[in-house]
Amino acid sequence: MDNYEYIIASLPVLQQDDRNAANLDVEDIHTQIFEQLSGRDRVYFAQLLDGFDPAKLDEDFYRKALASPCAFLRDYFTYDMQVRNTKVEYLNRELGRPEGMDIMELEEDSENEFEGKDEVKEVLSTQDLIGREKGLDDLMWQKCEELTLMHVFDFSVILAFTAKLQII
């Protein structure tokens, strides 16, 4: 059923600072995408959406995401976990909490040094809370762009679109 080019062609164009995105019916877009996906892709699509539900973001979620056969999910959620860990490290330092407290470290990711750590620290050092959150959103948006750089009409583009829709 891999009719990715038709799904992609039907998606609205999203801009990073899109003020009109509030007018989009996100649930309807999700449903339209979901109905056109194969069974395997539906599982990956649902897993991506679960990653935007704080109640589901636990060690088990990240363990499954980092072991996923889907490269986009694996790479996106590796980055997501690294950004979140950097944010927790920053908060621990700022609040005088013990170093390493509430950091999620999985064996699957322990060998990877987070190359974007300095960028995240720079965003977190901003005093403006709204600017800080927007900066983190911008980093996640850029990661979506990076992960789909050489992709045109494949499933990664659909997953990146969905992540961007959640961001805005």
Side-chain angles (χ1 to χ4, degrees):
M1 200 167 170
D2 299 334
N3 54 351
Y4 303 135
E5 57 276 354
Y6 298 108
I7 297 171
I8 294 166
S10 70
L11 299 174
V13 175
L14 298 178
Q15 301 297 323
Q16 205 164 352
D17 294 321
D18 197 346
R19 306 250 188 273
N20 296 323
N23 298 329
L24 295 174
D25 185 343
V26 175
E27 291 299 318
D28 185 51
I29 293 170
H30 288 168
T31 300
Q32 288 178 28
I33 293 171
F34 187 82
E35 288 174 350
Q36 296 178 69
L37 295 174
S38 68
R40 178 198 67 206
D41 290 344
R42 286 178 176 182
V43 171
Y44 298 146
F45 185 77
Q47 188 175 13
L48 176 68
L49 292 177
D50 284 348
F52 291 95
D53 181 350
K56 295 182 181 180
L57 292 180
D58 57 13
E59 187 175 317
D60 186 51
F61 172 84
Y62 281 105
R63 189 173 308 289
K64 287 176 184 173
L66 271 56
S68 176
C70 176
F72 181 89
L73 290 178
R74 200 171 48 246
D75 294 343
Y76 182 83
F77 285 113
T78 295
Y79 185 77
D80 179 72
M81 185 178 73
Q82 291 169 327
V83 167
R84 289 174 189 273
N85 280 342
T86 303
K87 188 175 179 180
V88 170
E89 288 171 3
Y90 172 83
L91 291 171
N92 284 346
R93 201 171 36 260
E94 291 295 308
L95 299 173
R97 295 173 65 197
E99 189 175 310
M101 187 174 183
D102 296 326
I103 299 293
M104 187 174 308
E105 292 189 50
L106 303 178
E107 294 169 13
E108 297 87 342
D109 188 54
S110 61
E111 298 175 9
N112 299 331
E113 181 65 31
F114 181 32
E115 294 176 14
K117 192 172 214 165
D118 290 338
E119 288 177 298
V120 175
K121 285 181 176 181
E122 184 178 328
V123 168
L124 293 172
S125 68
T126 304
Q127 296 303 313
D128 174 26
L129 290 177
I130 294 173
R132 188 181 302 166
E133 289 304 314
K134 177 161 180 359
L136 293 173
D137 286 348
D138 289 348
L139 291 175
M140 297 308 294
W141 187 284
Q142 290 169 8
K143 188 62 174 180
C144 289
E145 293 287 317
E146 176 188 314
L147 293 175
T148 57
L149 186 60
M150 300 303 287
H151 302 261
V152 180
F153 289 114
D154 70 13
F155 189 50
S156 292
V157 174
I158 295 168
L159 292 175
F161 169 86
T162 304
K164 289 176 181 179
L165 186 60
Q166 296 301 116
I167 290 168
I168 60 172

